[in-house]
Amino acid sequence: MQMGIVVGRVTATRKDNNLVGTKLLITQPVGLDGTLLPNPIITVDTVGAGIGEKVIYVTGSMASRAVQNKDAPIDAAIIGIIDSVEGETGG
């Protein structure tokens, strides 16, 4: 699982039929210390996240398990909205 911030929304009027009805969001990866990491990704929202929210997302085979339609070609999915982060990060 990884942490990110939703920074935008993607509208695709033509897409794979298995993705019809999904909400696509642009998610900026974030380090545990809060720093923005490179390479934002497009994620399928499974929890009703919105722009500006900190989220938990998964990639790869775990992402396709997060949606009901197992035939959907999904590589990244938001699976949680973060309320707070506590603790120390560092070595």
Side-chain angles (χ1 to χ4, degrees), residues 1-2 14 16 27 70 90:
M1 289 186 278
Q2 299 173 61
R14 293 189 63 168
D16 184 286
T27 302
K70 302 306 177 201

Side-chain angles (χ1 to χ4, degrees), residues 4-39:
I5 295 177
V6 177
V7 295
R9 183 177 301 127
V10 174
T11 301
T13 55
R14 293 189 63 168
K15 57 190 168 197
D16 184 286
N17 285 338
N18 293 307
L19 291 173
V20 171
T22 61
K23 182 167 73 169
L24 304 175
L25 298 174
I26 302 169
T27 302
Q28 178 72 51
V30 176
L32 292 177
D33 61 358
T35 59
L36 296 179
L37 302 176
N39 304 322

Side-chain angles (χ1 to χ4, degrees), residues 7-81:
V7 295
R9 183 177 301 127
V10 174
T11 301
T13 55
R14 293 189 63 168
K15 57 190 168 197
D16 184 286
N17 285 338
N18 293 307
L19 291 173
V20 171
T22 61
K23 182 167 73 169
L24 304 175
L25 298 174
I26 302 169
T27 302
Q28 178 72 51
V30 176
L32 292 177
D33 61 358
T35 59
L36 296 179
L37 302 176
N39 304 322
I41 61 172
I42 297 173
T43 53
V44 171
D45 179 30
T46 68
V47 295
I51 294 174
E53 288 190 291
K54 214 177 254 190
V55 295
I56 300 168
Y57 68 95
V58 292
T59 57
S61 64
M62 289 294 121
S64 63
R65 293 182 189 182
V67 295
Q68 295 210 354
N69 184 349
K70 302 306 177 201
D71 293 326
I74 296 173
D75 188 49
I78 294 173
I79 60 165
I81 298 172

